Amino acid sequence: MPKRGAPQKKVEDYLVPPAAKATSLDDYMSTPASAFLRSVCEAFDAFELCRNRFVKKKNGQYNKDSDDSLRYIGIAVLATTMGHFETYQKGLFAGVFERSRHFVQMTPLAISKKLNNPSLSLERLCAYRGAQAPVGLSVADALPSWHDPDAVNSRFKAFGMKMDFFSNDDVATLRVLWQLRHSIVHTGAWLTKPDAQKVPALKEKGDEGVAFDHMFVNALSRRFHKVVKEANRRLEAGVRSLLAPDVDAEILDDLKHFLSVESPKSNWLS
């Protein structure tokens, strides 16, 4: 009889501990911006290692295999980064929701109406049995449209803030990135004409495959540092405007920590 080989592994058997310390949900609940930028920098470093080590021709240009591989890796980096960005947004909203108990004029009924009374999943709540799960996270999970920057702006305004979380430039950039992420994840990295027409900046790019210049990950990483730094600054000002003038220093310190923006590449924040 022929020897039997090793039993075939199930897909889940290939899961292994991450090479670096994974950014956990607790990290995103503690300091969302810093957790997100850490993940951005880790992805950048991984891509740069490939970019610097892949085979080049004598003229310094990448050979075809290297060029193709970098394009495949680039689209994977964008898809992963946007997943982290969604978690950053949810972590921020959840944290502000938790701290809304300190807002002078906000009531649960008022915010429920402004958020269109989201329906919380009992199944989702049951998953947290025995754990200390923030209420804000359950609310964030119940809300749709985290891929719509205008909807995210409206979500933070539901607390009573007058400011936009994302600037007009941020909204324009994020619409492009979210559409590209959608095309990567849902249509095999092919930007269909109908999808391209949803975003003015992409309307001439329809019916093409999604691929990026080799410097895209660098530009993306730096741009997200700017977006996050300014968005968190605006959010802190908005939250402070909702607090009582004589609010305890402990509450302000907690807010400052929660909205702090730190990065392994601190020079990208200047």
Side-chain angles (χ1 to χ4, degrees):
M1 283 182 68
K3 291 184 178 180
R4 297 182 62 185
Q8 185 176 11
K9 286 186 176 182
K10 298 178 181 179
V11 172
E12 61 269 23
D13 292 334
Y14 289 94
L15 286 168
V16 298
K21 181 184 180 300
T23 306
S24 70
L25 195 56
D26 286 342
D27 294 329
Y28 275 108
M29 290 302 299
S30 175
T31 51
S34 298
F36 172 64
L37 293 182
R38 186 164 62 248
S39 74
V40 166
C41 290
E42 288 171 353
F44 168 81
D45 289 340
F47 185 83
E48 283 297 285
L49 181 63
C50 296
R51 200 172 69 85
N52 291 329
R53 298 293 181 87
F54 277 13
V55 178
K56 295 181 180 179
K57 295 182 288 188
K58 290 182 179 180
N59 63 4
Q61 296 180 342
Y62 292 106
N63 64 23
K64 186 178 185 306
D65 287 343
S66 295
D67 184 67
D68 288 347
S69 296
L70 287 171
R71 293 177 189 231
Y72 276 116
I73 296 170
I75 62 176
V77 168
L78 177 62
T80 302
T81 298
M82 297 312 292
H84 278 282
F85 188 72
E86 179 175 351
T87 310
Y88 153 74
Q89 293 179 138
K90 287 182 176 180
L92 272 181
F93 178 86
V96 173
F97 188 94
E98 292 292 318
R99 290 161 178 81
S100 65
R101 65 190 185 276
H102 304 303
F103 297 171
V104 176
Q105 296 183 343
M106 202 218 80
T107 66
L109 179 60
I111 192 171
S112 179
K113 287 183 177 179
K114 290 179 180 178
L115 294 175
N116 295 320
N117 195 21
S119 176
L120 301 182
S121 165
L122 180 59
E123 181 180 6
R124 177 72 177 180
L125 293 175
C126 286
Y128 285 114
R129 286 173 295 179
Q132 294 182 347
V135 174
L137 184 58
S138 297
V139 176
D141 278 342
L143 294 170
S145 304
W146 289 104
H147 300 173
D148 180 352
D150 286 321
V152 175
N153 275 346
S154 297
R155 202 149 290 163
F156 283 107
K157 283 184 175 179
F159 292 107
M161 304 175 200
K162 305 300 182 184
M163 37 60 72
D164 280 328
F165 177 60
F166 293 127
S167 70
N168 290 338
D169 285 345
D170 294 340
V171 169
T173 297
L174 290 171
R175 286 198 177 284
V176 171
L177 293 176
W178 279 123
Q179 181 55 63
L180 293 174
R181 180 263 182 195
H182 174 91
S183 297
I184 291 167
V185 173
H186 296 290
T187 55
W190 188 265
L191 181 60
T192 66
K193 284 187 176 180
D195 280 343
Q197 291 170 4
K198 296 175 184 176
V199 183
L202 295 175
K203 64 181 180 180
E204 303 299 329
K205 303 287 187 179
D207 204 22
E208 293 181 5
V210 177
F212 301 113
D213 179 277
H214 300 151
M215 292 304 295
F216 169 74
V217 173
N218 184 306
L220 179 73
S221 303
R222 292 173 182 269
R223 181 59 184 264
F224 265 133
H225 276 68
K226 178 183 177 182
V227 168
V228 166
K229 177 184 176 182
E230 292 304 312
N232 270 48
R233 178 187 61 78
R234 288 189 290 268
L235 183 59
E236 181 173 359
V239 171
R240 283 178 177 267
S241 72
L242 303 177
L243 300 172
D246 59 347
V247 65
D248 291 345
E250 183 179 352
I251 294 174
L252 291 177
D253 288 343
D254 168 71
L255 178 65
K256 185 175 181 180
H257 171 76
F258 173 68
L259 294 176
S260 61
V261 182
E262 297 180 355
S263 169
K265 303 187 187 302
S266 56
N267 59 308
W268 287 359
L269 291 170
S270 41

